[in-house]
Amino acid sequence: MADCVFCRIASGDLKARIVRETPELVAFMDLNPQAPTHILIIPRKHTASLAACKAEDEALLGKIQLLAAEIAAELGVSGGFRLVTNCGRGAGQSVDHLHYHLLGGRRMNWPPG
Ligand code: DGP
């Protein structure tokens, strides 16, 4: 989608600090980090949010989680990281392209804000 900022990052049209790419996924540094490690993991395929995912996305969603764990290990935060997807405006979603925040490098509070 030409007007989707994350589609533009996935296609290379918009610059980002990319940390990993696979045929289906892209991981890059968040522009507005909320932790010392803050990576966004997105599918290349445009999907608005987790709520829009279908049974056919099951494998893709699993790959996102496995890639997050791999990146966390590579970045040295596997002892304490959080993987979050904000789904809908009420949960703070601001970009309507499915993305997971990989956060680490600081103490994580519970419950989240
Ligand atoms: P959310 O609020 O869950 O929709 O998170 C969107 C995140 O995307 C937010 O933490 C900031 C980040 N973001 C928005 N635009 C850009 C961009 O152009 N580049 C990068 N690297 N991150 C972006």
Side-chain angles (χ1 to χ4, degrees), residues 31-43:
L31 203 57
N32 182 24
Q34 301 301 313
T37 296
H38 189 168
I39 306 295
L40 295 173
I41 303 173
I42 65 167

Side-chain angles (χ1 to χ4, degrees), residues 48-52 84-93 98-99:
S49 73
L50 183 58
V84 175
T85 188
N86 295 325
C87 189
R89 291 288 176 268
Q93 184 177 7
L98 178 66
H99 55 282

